[in-house]
Amino acid sequence: MEDTIFALATAQGKAGVAIVRVSGPQAVQTLSQLGGKRPDPRGSRLAKLTDASGDILDHALVLYFEAGASFTGEDVVELHLHGSVAVIRAVLRAIGDTGLARMAEPGEFTRRALMNGRMDLTQVQGLGDVIEAETEAQRKHAMRVLGGEVAERVGMWRHQLIRATALTEATIDFADEEVPEDVFGEVLDLITTTKAGIERELTGAAGVARLKSGFEVALIGAPNAGKSSLLNALTRTDSAIVTDVAGTTRDIVEVRCDINGLAVTILDTAGLRKTTDTVEMIGVSRALARAESADLRILLHEEEIAPAWPVDRFPDDMVVRSKGDLNGDPRAISVRSGIGIERLLTQIGDRLSCRVSDSGLVSQERDQRVLVATRDILAELIADIGVEDADIIALRLRNAASVLQEIIGGVDIEQVLDEVFSSFCLGK
């Protein structure tokens, strides 16, 4: 924390603008060593940056944020450079040559923001999710976490437990004075309400996990049913080879796409049929196994009446007739004409959206473990109210509040920081 750190905060490679961030007690002195003058706080100015020999590095726009009003909570200087690979390399080298700053470690800027009270741990994790977001649903969820909703929810639960603790301790500290007789009734209500809220959050954990990892949709059917063509149509790619030769698809072809704001991987599987071809038999076996684990399955057929499927049927299976341009069935889809494709995409999106409609906010496995531990403590407390001594109840309530606080990062979180920040990029 005493070091001044620097790093490229934008993506590697050629760009219109590249930003180098310098944070720490020597940030302004580092700028001076490059020939630049500090702007007013939260202001900017143009600067001709030079190296130690006086050679011009770049004409840059310099921004300055003073300690307490910056992302990290420290003095921060941002150098907005021309996005040339050579310029970036020269400026980074010149900063290192000053001896005033060192290259930042992955996530170190955000770690300093946490340690300086500019963010809590849930917001740090939300920022990581924002960076990793691929779809609109992932972005919206990550922004809610980054905006502090998890911290607010956990803070509310913790406040309820502290209130319950205070009421319980009142019966100990003022045992010889008048204490409302219904104190433990309110304590029980507070514990029960908190436990119910935590359980609702845990119930939505599965939906959050699927929101982040994405769904799998398997296309299943006989050879030449149109699975590969449908894969290409749904994903708007040419990922699967399409021919009239039965058994062309031997292995599973996977294409990740965005459907209704959700990350979805479409799986094109080998045609299901009896065969003596060893390679095709392996493909059919893999198709059956993957079909069992898929989140949603589209059973594709071109016959007028759907065949008997060699897989166990699931309630959410979608049976779809293909090649509507040839058979004239108004309910069938046609990859060639595009009829029914958008409708099918909407149906897939609607079915998968229902599975994340009640998603919670907590997505980290570590935080979920904390919620489970807190819930279990509260469940035992509910059973012991009126039976256990008040001082023991108060101690266990304090323990529950302390455990819950680990999610925000206020209690004993040093051991988890390396894991949290290891996935961050260098400029964060």
Side-chain angles (χ1 to χ4, degrees), residues 106-426:
E108 191 169 3
F109 288 96
T110 309
R111 184 166 185 158
R112 292 189 176 202
L114 172 67
M115 302 306 292
N116 289 324
R118 300 293 291 175
M119 307 176 75
D120 63 48
L121 192 55
T122 64
Q123 291 174 303
V124 168
Q125 293 168 165
L127 178 58
D129 289 342
V130 169
I131 295 170
E132 296 295 327
E134 298 177 313
T135 68
E136 183 66 6
Q138 291 173 344
R139 182 193 66 81
K140 288 181 177 179
H141 179 272
M143 292 304 296
R144 291 178 64 191
V145 178
L146 178 61
E149 285 194 40
V150 173
E152 290 176 7
R153 194 167 294 183
V154 172
M156 178 189 67
W157 293 332
R158 187 170 180 271
H159 175 76
Q160 291 171 341
L161 295 180
I162 291 174
R163 167 70 177 166
T165 303
L167 289 171
T168 303
E169 290 182 342
T171 66
I172 303 170
D173 297 337
F174 304 100
D176 297 330
E177 303 177 24
E178 290 188 7
V179 177
E181 294 180 359
D182 62 348
V183 160
F184 282 107
E186 184 178 350
V187 169
L188 184 59
D189 286 344
L190 288 166
I191 296 174
T192 302
T193 300
T194 304
K195 177 174 174 289
I198 291 174
E199 286 177 337
R200 283 194 298 271
E201 187 64 41
L202 288 171
T203 300
V208 179
R210 302 308 282 154
L211 187 66
K212 293 184 67 175
S213 64
F215 294 92
E216 287 190 350
V217 176
L219 306 180
I220 303 171
N224 283 342
K227 298 184 299 300
S228 297
S229 297
L230 181 57
L231 170 76
N232 292 342
L234 292 176
T235 61
R236 296 179 175 86
T237 66
D238 291 320
S239 301
I241 299 173
V242 179
T243 73
D244 293 329
V245 179
T248 298
T249 301
R250 299 297 184 94
D251 208 345
I252 297 172
V253 179
E254 306 181 18
V255 182
R256 194 171 177 87
C257 61
D258 183 330
I259 298 179
N260 201 24
L262 301 174
V264 179
T265 299
I266 308 293
L267 310 176
D268 177 21
T269 61
L272 303 181
R273 67 171 179 176
K274 293 182 179 180
T275 178
T276 58
D277 186 298
T278 303
V279 176
E280 189 177 354
M281 287 174 61
I282 295 174
V284 171
S285 177
R286 289 182 177 180
L288 292 171
R290 200 63 178 270
E292 288 291 326
S293 62
D295 298 291
L296 183 64
R297 306 187 306 181
I298 297 176
L299 308 183
L300 201 64
H301 68 97
E302 61 176 307
E303 303 91 340
E304 183 175 357
I305 299 177
W309 301 98
V311 293
D312 293 332
R313 290 290 304 275
F314 296 155
D316 224 18
D317 284 347
M318 301 174 65
V319 180
V320 177
R321 189 180 185 189
S322 61
K323 305 183 181 181
D325 56 308
L326 299 178
N327 55 46
D329 187 342
R331 298 168 301 175
I333 65 169
S334 170
V335 171
R336 182 170 297 176
S337 67
I339 294 175
I341 299 300
E342 290 300 322
R343 182 181 73 245
L344 180 59
L345 280 168
T346 299
Q347 292 172 341
I348 294 171
D350 289 344
R351 295 200 183 197
L352 296 180
S353 294
C354 288
R355 303 190 187 187
V356 296
S357 60
D358 59 348
S359 295
L361 288 173
V362 174
S363 61
Q364 302 294 323
E365 184 178 346
R366 184 189 71 85
D367 294 344
Q368 292 169 13
R369 289 198 300 267
V370 170
L371 291 182
V372 169
T374 306
R375 179 202 61 191
D376 293 345
I377 294 173
L378 298 183
E380 294 174 358
L381 278 168
I382 290 172
D384 291 342
I385 291 288
V387 178
E388 193 69 77
D389 291 341
D391 55 344
I392 300 299
I393 295 294
L395 180 63
R396 289 161 63 184
L397 279 168
R398 284 188 177 277
N399 181 41
S402 178
V403 170
L404 196 58
Q405 183 70 6
E406 292 180 22
I407 293 178
I408 299 176
V411 181
D412 297 329
I413 52 89
E414 185 64 32
Q415 66 272 23
V416 303
L417 294 185
D418 289 338
E419 176 184 349
V420 169
F421 290 112
S422 62
S423 62
F424 274 63
C425 54
L426 199 60

Side-chain angles (χ1 to χ4, degrees), residues 1 3-7 95-96 99-105 108 112:
M1 294 289 289
D3 293 345
T4 297
I5 57 176
F6 70 94
I95 294 174
L100 298 174
R102 63 168 173 81
M103 183 67 74
E105 297 175 358
E108 191 169 3
R112 292 189 176 202

